[in-house]
């Protein structure tokens, strides 16, 4: 195989989302599998919608995912002279022509016939007629003259493809404002960048025959094409934000590890040929092939993404997870130091969390008193005199427990429950709500020890005052 050169070519009209990230990843894996080159091109010709902040976010997201491009980034906005030269070459060799027909004239000739194709009226104009129209400032577009030959190509994913030339009219390659359209710019860029393989979403499949017409008209050799099926939501509709398919940046902010997100994205329509679900980037590179890209749409499963991220978090070393934990809490203005207590807290939280943000949401009560109490929990576990009685009993148990450890606490609480003819849960649920503000937490006895005796007593006293205050309002 010749030296593989592929590209990812996003438009900076929005952030990098899952679909674009998958296209970038598949191109990256393909290039690295064959010791090839992975290029990046920013297709920023849409001046109204393209924004520098989107470009910056795309570059930052790709760097975070570990998909660093080879060579300089190409910006289409800097290549207009090259596009104009290509158009001139097409006109000079008779493969393109100026079209002065107005939209109204075309619609009149179409006559409501949806199958009508442009009739090449302007292709028959002689040079004098053209110059006369140009002198009067009559606007025009440039159209490519479609040859009388079908398009055949072997798609790397879909197999043999055939398109009849009769399906296409002489399509516009330069708009009346002088701006070249996507079909032209992408062909010129891919040729100039030496692109050998184009892997992209199958929503581009209808563009491919038009681009092959352009390649041939310009005397260029077309690359090989591979079109990846779309990603669908669980409801089998096109993937959107309602399915959890937000930008890569949002996944990062939510607390996904880049390695986990890359792993998840890779499995959206590709498999390594075995039952593996957890793979690092090097394993993916070794096993990647376009033959293993599914021909049917991938289904996005956010629950699976969370599970996979949880698996990656569980595999982090203690030191790494402690560093992440400390950094997250510092961002929230809470100082946490490395200690035996922190190690024990992390071991308690590690199997429970699926995103790094949950390190804060699930663990901050170890360092801060709860600012509020879960509403449903209040209705269920903080009901009047009974709750106050239970919490006072919990406080007495905690105050007198010696040794102050999980085993002794559990033994004493269960003995108290048995003496009073109650279930242990009657003591545990109000205590958990008082200490954490939530109805869910790590094991209550481990939680009590890690929060500390004095802090537990303070929080129980605060919860009792809260119960008495709401009872007083009622």
């Amino acid at each position: 195989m010749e030296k593989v050169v592929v590209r990812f070519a996003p438009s900076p009209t929005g952030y990098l989302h899952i679909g674009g990230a998958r296209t970038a990843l598949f191109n990256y894996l393909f290039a690295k599998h064959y010791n090839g080159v992975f290029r990046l091109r920013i297709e920023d010709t849409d001046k109204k919608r393209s924004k520098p902040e989107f470009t910056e976010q795309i570059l930052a997201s790709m760097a975070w995912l570990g998909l660093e491009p080879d060579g300089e980034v190409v910006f289409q906005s800097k290549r207009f002279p090259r596009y104009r030269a290509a158009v001139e070459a097409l006109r000079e060799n008779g493969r393109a022509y100026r079209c002065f027909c107005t939209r109204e004239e075309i619609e009149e000739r179409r006559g409501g016939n949806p199958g009508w194709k442009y009739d090449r009226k302007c292709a028959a104009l002689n040079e004098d007629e053209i110059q006369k129209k140009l002198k009067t400032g009559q606007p025009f577009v440039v159209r490519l003259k479609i040859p009388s030959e079908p398009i055949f190509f072997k798609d790397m994913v879909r197999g043999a493809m055939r398109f009849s030339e009769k399906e296409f009219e002489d399509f516009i390659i330069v708009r009346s404002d002088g701006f070249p359209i996507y079909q032209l710019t992408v062909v010129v860029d891919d040729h100039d960048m030496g692109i050998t393989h184009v892997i992209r979403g199958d929503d581009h499949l209808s563009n491919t025959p038009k681009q092959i017409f352009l390649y041939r008209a310009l005397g260029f050799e077309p690359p090989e094409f591979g079109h990846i099926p779309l990603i669908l939501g669980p409801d089998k509709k096109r993937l959107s934000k309602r399915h959890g398919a937000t930008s890569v940046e949002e996944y990062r902010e939510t607390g996904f590890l880049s390695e986990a997100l890359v792993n998840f994205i890779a499995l959206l329509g590709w498999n390594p040929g075995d039952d593996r679900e957890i793979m690092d980037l090097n394993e993916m590179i070794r096993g990647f092939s376009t033959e293993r890209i599914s021909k049917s749409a991938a289904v996005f499963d956010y629950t699976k993404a969370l599970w996979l991220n949880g698996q990656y978090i569980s595999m982090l070393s203690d030191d790494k997870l402690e560093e992440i934990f400390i950094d997250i809490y510092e961002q929230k203005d809470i100082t946490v130091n490395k200690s035996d207590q922190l190690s024990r807290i992390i071991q308690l939280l590690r199997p429970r969390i699926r995103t790094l943000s949950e390190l804060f949401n699930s663990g901050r009560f170890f360092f801060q008193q709860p600012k509020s109490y879960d509403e449903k929990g209040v209705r269920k576990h903080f009901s009047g005199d009974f709750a106050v009685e239970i919490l006072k009993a919990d406080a007495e148990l905690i105050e007198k427990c010696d040794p102050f450890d999980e085993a002794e606490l559990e033994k004493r609480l269960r003995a108290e429950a048995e003496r009073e003819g109650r279930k242990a849960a009657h003591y545990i649920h109000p205590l958990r709500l008082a200490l954490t503000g939530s109805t869910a937490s790590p094991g209550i006895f481990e939680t009590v020890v890690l929060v500390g005796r004095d802090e537990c007593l303070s929080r129980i006293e605060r919860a009792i005052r809260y119960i008495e205050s709401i009872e007083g309002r009622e």
Side-chain angles (χ1 to χ4, degrees):
M1 181 183 284
E2 63 182 318
K3 181 75 170 181
V4 168
V5 184
V6 300
R7 49 71 169 177
F8 175 52
S11 298
T13 55
Y15 296 129
L16 180 63
H17 285 69
I18 289 296
R22 184 185 66 162
T23 299
L25 176 61
F26 281 10
N27 277 280
Y28 181 90
L29 296 177
F30 184 80
K32 300 310 174 183
H33 179 82
Y34 291 104
N35 295 313
V37 175
F38 172 66
R39 301 293 306 277
L40 176 64
R41 181 171 71 234
I42 302 296
E43 299 191 338
D44 56 345
T45 56
D46 188 336
K47 289 187 176 181
K48 291 182 179 178
R49 297 173 62 220
S50 296
K51 296 182 179 179
E53 57 263 36
F54 291 143
T55 297
E56 291 172 9
Q57 190 275 337
I58 289 168
L59 295 173
S61 292
M62 290 185 64
W64 181 67
L65 293 171
L67 307 180
E68 294 284 357
D70 300 309
E72 291 186 1
V73 178
V74 173
F75 289 86
Q76 284 192 331
S77 58
K78 298 179 180 179
R79 290 178 47 77
F80 283 107
R82 175 68 179 101
Y83 305 142
R84 285 194 286 270
V87 173
E88 285 306 305
L90 287 170
R91 287 202 310 104
E92 288 174 6
N93 67 18
R95 301 303 297 270
Y97 58 92
R98 295 184 180 96
C99 173
F100 296 89
C101 297
T102 66
R103 187 173 298 175
E104 291 75 18
E105 290 170 343
I106 289 175
E107 288 304 316
E108 184 179 346
R109 298 207 299 276
R110 188 188 308 278
N113 177 8
W116 183 87
K117 293 178 177 58
Y118 182 70
D119 53 13
R120 289 187 174 175
K121 177 182 178 181
C122 290
L125 294 174
N126 61 41
E127 189 60 28
D128 287 341
E129 292 173 310
I130 292 171
Q131 291 303 318
K132 192 177 296 184
K133 290 178 181 294
L134 290 175
K135 284 179 182 178
T136 61
Q138 192 168 333
F140 63 88
V141 298
V142 178
R143 292 180 181 270
L144 183 75
K145 188 179 289 185
I146 300 296
S148 300
E149 57 186 37
I151 293 292
F152 297 93
F153 68 93
K154 184 178 180 182
D155 192 284
M156 291 184 286
V157 177
R158 301 169 67 97
M161 305 296 295
R162 182 186 186 280
F163 293 86
S164 170
E165 74 280 11
K166 295 177 182 178
E167 298 177 37
F168 304 93
E169 66 179 0
D170 290 357
F171 60 90
I172 295 169
I173 57 174
V174 180
R175 298 194 301 262
S176 59
D177 61 4
F179 274 80
I181 68 159
Y182 164 78
Q183 311 292 5
L184 177 79
T185 59
V186 72
V187 167
V188 172
D189 289 339
D190 283 348
H191 172 266
D192 290 359
M193 293 170 70
I195 302 303
T196 61
H197 298 76
V198 172
I199 300 172
R200 58 189 179 184
D202 65 5
D203 52 333
H204 284 283
L205 183 59
S206 61
N207 291 325
T208 302
K210 293 181 179 181
Q211 289 166 13
I212 292 176
F213 283 132
L214 274 163
Y215 273 104
R216 292 176 179 174
L218 288 163
F220 300 158
E221 184 67 27
E224 292 189 47
F225 292 92
H227 293 88
I228 312 164
L230 294 175
I231 305 172
L232 303 179
D235 56 4
K236 301 299 188 290
K237 294 182 180 178
R238 186 161 182 164
L239 192 62
S240 67
K241 193 165 184 176
R242 72 178 184 277
H243 299 114
T246 53
S247 70
V248 169
E249 182 66 23
E250 286 180 89
Y251 279 94
R252 183 179 185 178
E253 291 174 354
T254 300
F256 274 75
L257 294 171
S258 59
E259 300 88 346
L261 190 59
V262 166
N263 194 158
F264 172 68
I265 293 171
L267 296 175
L268 289 172
W270 172 78
N271 73 82
D274 51 40
D275 295 331
R276 280 179 298 164
E277 290 190 301
I278 297 177
M279 294 168 284
D280 64 27
L281 193 58
N282 288 327
E283 288 177 289
M284 296 176 213
I285 290 170
R286 288 194 296 270
F288 190 81
S289 70
T290 54
E291 288 80 9
R292 293 201 173 278
I293 296 176
S294 173
K295 293 180 174 63
S296 56
V299 177
F300 180 89
D301 184 351
Y302 187 67
T303 302
K304 178 68 172 290
L306 286 173
W307 172 83
L308 199 55
N309 197 57
Q311 296 300 302
Y312 271 83
I313 290 173
S314 71
M315 292 186 289
L316 290 173
S317 69
D318 292 344
D319 285 344
K320 181 62 177 177
L321 197 51
E322 285 182 14
E323 288 175 13
I324 292 171
F325 190 101
I326 291 169
D327 182 58
I328 289 172
Y329 278 73
E330 281 182 352
Q331 292 174 30
K332 304 290 185 178
D333 295 323
I334 299 174
T335 301
V336 177
N337 298 312
K338 285 204 169 192
S339 63
D340 290 341
Q341 183 200 31
L342 176 59
S343 297
R344 292 171 66 191
I345 289 171
I346 285 178
Q347 293 311 314
L348 205 56
L349 295 177
R350 184 192 285 270
R352 301 173 59 87
I353 62 172
R354 298 174 300 173
T355 66
L356 295 177
S357 59
E358 291 177 5
L359 281 173
F360 183 75
N361 297 332
S362 300
R364 63 178 165 179
F365 69 84
F366 286 113
F367 306 95
Q368 283 184 334
Q369 287 198 0
K371 295 179 180 179
S372 61
Y373 302 104
D374 178 82
E375 289 184 9
K376 289 183 179 179
V378 168
R379 290 194 295 271
K380 191 171 183 179
H381 305 303
F382 276 6
S383 53
D385 294 339
F386 177 75
V388 171
E389 177 190 337
I390 289 292
L391 285 174
K392 285 181 177 178
D394 284 331
E396 187 174 355
L397 282 168
I398 291 170
E399 188 172 21
K400 293 181 178 179
C401 186
D402 185 29
F404 187 64
D405 59 33
E406 294 93 332
E408 185 66 20
L409 277 166
E410 182 172 9
K411 184 177 77 172
R412 291 187 178 220
L413 186 146
R414 293 191 184 281
E416 172 73 11
E418 188 174 346
R419 277 195 306 273
E420 297 296 325
R422 293 169 175 157
K423 295 180 180 178
H426 288 145
Y427 292 83
I428 290 172
H429 293 314
L431 178 60
R432 175 178 283 117
L433 188 60
L435 298 184
T436 71
S438 172
T439 57
S441 76
I444 188 61
F445 305 110
E446 293 93 333
T447 295
V448 169
V449 171
L450 288 169
V451 170
R453 192 196 308 267
D454 291 343
E455 180 65 18
C456 284
L457 295 175
S458 173
R459 294 186 188 188
I460 292 171
E461 186 178 331
R462 179 173 176 266
I464 290 172
R465 289 199 302 271
Y466 172 78
I467 294 169
E468 291 173 341
S469 71
I470 60 175
E471 288 296 313
R473 288 199 301 271
E474 293 174 359

